[in-house]
Amino acid sequence: MSDIFPTFDKLLERKERETLLKQKGIVIWMTGRPASGKTTLAVGLEKALHEMGHLCYVLDGDNVRTGINNDLHFSQGDRKENIRRIAEVSKLFVRCGVITINSFVSPSEKLRTLAKSIIGQHDFKLVYVNTSIEVCEKRDTKGLYAKARRGEIKNFTGINDPFEEPVSPDLEIKTDQHSFEENLQALVEFVLPKIRL
Ligand code: ADX
């Protein structure tokens, strides 16, 4: 076989893919309360980087919990398995040289540390989208806070399940102190040097 296809002997190295894409793969892991604005920023970041010629992919509850993780709910064990699988998938993406932008509540330090240990600390950057519970609840984009208050959701993050603030995020975005455009610019400026070859 190797006589016919000598170059198929060896898997391509990550560096070769990164050279092809002219970028370094990385995981930008956005944590924050439900309705904090994580996914809006993640999508904005993807669009901005895409327009600069970078290949990105956004992973969030909508595409992960309806597909690969559609057997998982919100118990502690399921949240852990959710984050573990996402981290494993992200690790594969990073090895492809893709800028992987993850938007997950990931409510505890333990879960975020698990993600970091799977992905590897050099490829993992934690961004805390810090929006107060009051603002998130007022926003209530999916009506889930109201449901949780009515007792229709048992373990909703921030209402009857804890959200631990990250101890030392690589970047903190305070959504109630700056405009979306300002926050997006800060995020783009944070990411750009990290994806340069
Ligand atoms: S995580 O805790 O396992 O990281 P993930 O980010 O995947 O959560 O999903 C959170 C999203 O699922 C929320 O933005 C919200 O729309 C929805 N959701 C439904 N039930 C819950 C719940 N009990 N706690 C938190 N989010 C929930």
Side-chain angles (χ1 to χ4, degrees):
M1 191 78 166
S2 64
D3 292 344
I4 313 168
F5 301 114
T7 53
F8 285 11
D9 271 345
K10 171 172 97 44
L11 288 171
L12 284 172
E13 300 283 341
R14 169 174 173 177
K15 264 208 157 144
E16 296 169 89
R17 299 194 186 90
E18 290 182 331
T19 304
L20 178 79
L21 294 172
K22 301 185 182 70
Q23 64 184 36
K24 274 191 192 156
I26 197 165
V27 177
I28 305 299
W29 191 287
M30 325 260 285
T31 179
R33 297 175 178 82
S36 55
K38 299 181 295 297
T39 298
T40 309
L41 279 163
V43 169
L45 176 64
E46 178 182 41
K47 195 162 181 274
L49 295 177
H50 182 89
E51 281 166 7
M52 294 176 202
H54 292 293
L55 179 65
C56 309
Y57 198 80
V58 175
L59 292 172
D60 80 340
D62 286 340
N63 59 19
V64 168
R65 279 189 173 272
T66 54
I68 188 174
N69 286 356
N70 68 6
D71 56 330
L72 301 177
H73 299 282
F74 291 91
S75 65
Q76 293 232 352
D78 278 7
R79 284 186 205 256
K80 184 176 173 195
E81 181 58 11
N82 183 42
I83 296 305
R84 189 192 67 79
R85 289 185 203 168
I86 292 158
E88 290 290 356
V89 168
S90 307
K91 193 173 161 184
L92 299 175
F93 274 38
V94 163
R95 286 184 187 166
C96 287
V98 177
I99 299 152
T100 311
I101 307 164
N102 287 357
S103 166
F104 293 96
V105 173
S106 35
S108 69
E109 204 62 9
K110 233 178 166 173
L111 288 175
R112 297 182 290 257
T113 304
L114 171 70
K116 187 174 183 171
S117 69
I118 291 171
I119 293 163
Q121 58 174 344
H122 292 297
D123 294 328
F124 177 96
K125 297 294 164 206
L126 186 67
V127 176
Y128 175 27
V129 181
N130 185 351
T131 307
S132 68
I133 180 80
E134 291 77 18
V135 172
C136 293
E137 188 165 2
K138 214 169 161 190
R139 213 181 266 166
D140 203 10
T141 32
K142 299 178 188 164
L144 295 174
Y145 282 92
K147 277 192 177 172
R149 289 283 184 207
R150 292 197 299 268
E152 291 165 27
I153 305 177
K154 294 272 169 298
N155 43 5
F156 192 73
T157 308
I159 301 294
N160 39 26
D161 219 53
F163 179 82
E164 285 173 24
E165 303 224 323
V167 178
S168 51
D170 296 294
L171 178 71
E172 181 172 353
I173 293 178
K174 295 184 176 172
T175 63
D176 43 3
Q177 290 184 14
H178 303 281
S179 70
F180 169 75
E181 288 73 21
E182 287 169 339
N183 287 330
L184 181 59
Q185 193 180 337
L187 190 53
V188 171
E189 281 169 12
F190 169 77
V191 174
L192 275 180
K194 297 174 178 57
I195 61 173
R196 229 165 258 145
L197 270 188

